[in-house]
Amino acid sequence: MEKFRRIVIKWKTELTAACLLLILSLAMVFAGSWFYRQYRKQVIQTEESQLLTMAGVIGNNLNTYLEEQLNQIDLFYAQEAEADHRMQIDDIEARTAYFLKGRGGMYNWITVTEPDGNRFQYEPGKTAAREPAEQGTDLAQNVDQNERRPSEEIQRNGDVQSWISGKEISDQTGWYELYIQKEVLSEDGICMLTFAMNLETLYQKIVAPVKIGKDGYSSVKDQNMYIIMHHAKDQIGLEALDDRLKKYPDLDLTSMNDWIKKQEQDVSGTGVVDTYVWDDPGLARVQRVVAFQS
């Protein structure tokens, strides 16, 4: 009987120890899980804050850089304000060739459309190509007529600031070209200059360097949610949700849909989105910490 009592006491002691060990283990697991959740939450909040700041920096840098490019064009083609002052067409074309040569791939081409309709197209490393008058309509002149400035202003003031007239995807590069136009008064009338800015060069210069970590990246959409800059080239030109639904019908884009709606409604925001690695042929699903600034 005494032996049986000792066995029961030993069994109870071992059971109690096992229960205490189990409780301690569960407590450690719970504590570890709680600390992990808190740490993860803190990391996400920190990255969201950093990303939101970076999004603002990218937007400001893009605005500033584009304004600088417009100012550079205006200064380069600056002329005296006297009403009787006119530039020689030869001078305009010589300046254009020189301007393109020193811009390091920023422009895919520049055209000079003369008052008689003849157009000369300049491309890096190539001789200017002349087109006859009946073909001398600039590609970008009809992109957005609402942005067109009245030519009467140049007649009154002798000069008009350059302006952005629209954008299209280049057949040559697969990236968007941003069109800038400039009217210059010559002895024979008004010359229209069109500058095709290469947004790939702009992306690599301003946007791509701003990111967090090895797999982080930045992209740019226009006001209609079309992707105009992205590190995965096949995403360029897609509407951020509808076109992706058509291109990837088997993917779950529910989280992306909520994110796009937020971008359409708010000026800025952050979040964690279920998305995909767009430059991976397997389209691996990932969660990304994201932020945007309009």
Side-chain angles (χ1 to χ4, degrees):
M1 191 67 179
E2 184 64 26
K3 182 178 180 181
F4 176 75
R5 188 182 299 111
R6 286 197 301 269
I7 291 174
V8 170
I9 293 173
K10 182 180 179 182
W11 179 81
K12 288 182 177 180
T13 302
E14 290 177 349
L15 181 60
T16 301
C19 289
L20 289 174
L21 183 60
L22 177 60
I23 292 171
L24 181 60
S25 299
L26 290 174
M28 291 177 65
V29 169
F30 175 80
S33 177
W34 184 84
F35 280 116
Y36 171 75
R37 289 195 302 271
Q38 292 299 111
Y39 173 75
R40 183 177 185 272
K41 181 179 179 181
Q42 184 61 45
V43 169
I44 289 174
Q45 289 176 344
T46 300
E47 290 208 355
E48 285 179 338
S49 177
Q50 290 178 340
L51 287 170
L52 190 58
T53 299
M54 290 163 61
V57 168
I58 290 173
N60 290 335
N61 287 350
L62 282 173
N63 286 335
T64 300
Y65 190 82
L66 288 174
E67 289 175 2
E68 289 175 353
Q69 294 304 304
L70 295 175
N71 290 334
Q72 284 183 17
I73 291 171
D74 291 334
L75 288 172
F76 195 83
Y77 290 90
Q79 51 184 293
E80 298 176 12
E82 286 85 353
D84 61 347
H85 181 81
R86 303 291 186 270
M87 293 178 66
Q88 296 281 347
I89 287 180
D90 290 345
D91 185 32
I92 295 172
E93 292 171 349
R95 288 193 188 196
T96 301
Y98 185 79
F99 180 90
L100 183 60
K101 184 178 180 181
R103 288 304 179 275
M106 182 55 66
Y107 297 93
N108 289 334
W109 48 262
I110 303 173
T111 60
V112 177
T113 304
E114 298 177 351
D116 60 6
N118 283 315
R119 184 176 74 173
F120 288 82
Q121 180 157 316
Y122 298 80
E123 297 182 30
K126 296 183 180 180
T127 304
R130 180 182 181 276
E131 297 181 359
E134 59 269 17
Q135 298 179 17
T137 302
D138 274 312
L139 173 65
Q141 284 186 5
N142 297 319
V143 172
D144 190 347
Q145 289 295 335
N146 293 327
E147 292 294 327
R148 181 145 177 87
R149 307 287 183 87
S151 296
E152 289 78 6
E153 183 179 346
I154 195 172
Q155 298 285 4
R156 293 194 307 270
N157 301 326
D159 194 17
V160 172
Q161 292 182 335
S162 53
W163 70 95
I164 295 172
S165 61
K167 64 183 183 299
E168 287 186 0
I169 295 179
S170 167
D171 293 334
Q172 296 177 339
T173 67
W175 283 74
Y176 272 99
E177 294 174 332
L178 188 69
Y179 299 122
I180 300 171
Q181 294 190 260
K182 170 76 175 176
E183 288 183 337
V184 179
L185 200 58
S186 74
E187 290 183 333
D188 299 318
I190 297 172
C191 291
M192 173 62 73
L193 280 64
T194 302
F195 302 76
M197 179 180 286
N198 183 356
L199 291 193
E200 179 181 11
T201 302
L202 186 62
Y203 178 79
Q204 298 301 337
K205 184 180 183 67
I206 302 295
V207 182
V210 185
K211 62 181 183 178
I212 292 180
K214 179 182 177 182
D215 297 323
Y217 67 90
S218 300
S219 61
V220 180
K221 303 183 185 76
D222 68 9
Q223 67 272 28
N224 297 316
M225 291 296 153
Y226 281 86
I227 301 167
I228 59 176
M229 299 185 199
H230 199 289
H231 77 288
K233 189 175 179 179
D234 65 353
Q235 299 299 298
I236 294 172
L238 296 180
E239 199 280 332
L241 184 66
D242 290 343
D243 285 350
R244 277 176 169 162
L245 284 171
K246 295 175 184 176
K247 187 172 182 177
Y248 311 108
D250 297 330
L251 298 184
D252 180 4
L253 299 178
T254 305
S255 182
M256 289 285 293
N257 183 33
D258 294 338
W259 179 241
I260 297 301
K261 286 182 179 178
K262 183 175 180 63
Q263 289 179 315
E264 291 174 335
Q265 297 170 358
D266 299 338
V267 174
S268 63
T270 62
V272 179
V273 176
D274 294 317
T275 182
Y276 301 87
V277 183
W278 301 111
D279 55 353
D280 175 10
L283 292 172
R285 183 164 180 153
V286 294
Q287 276 195 328
R288 290 192 185 277
V289 183
V290 290
F292 75 92
Q293 176 75 43
S294 296

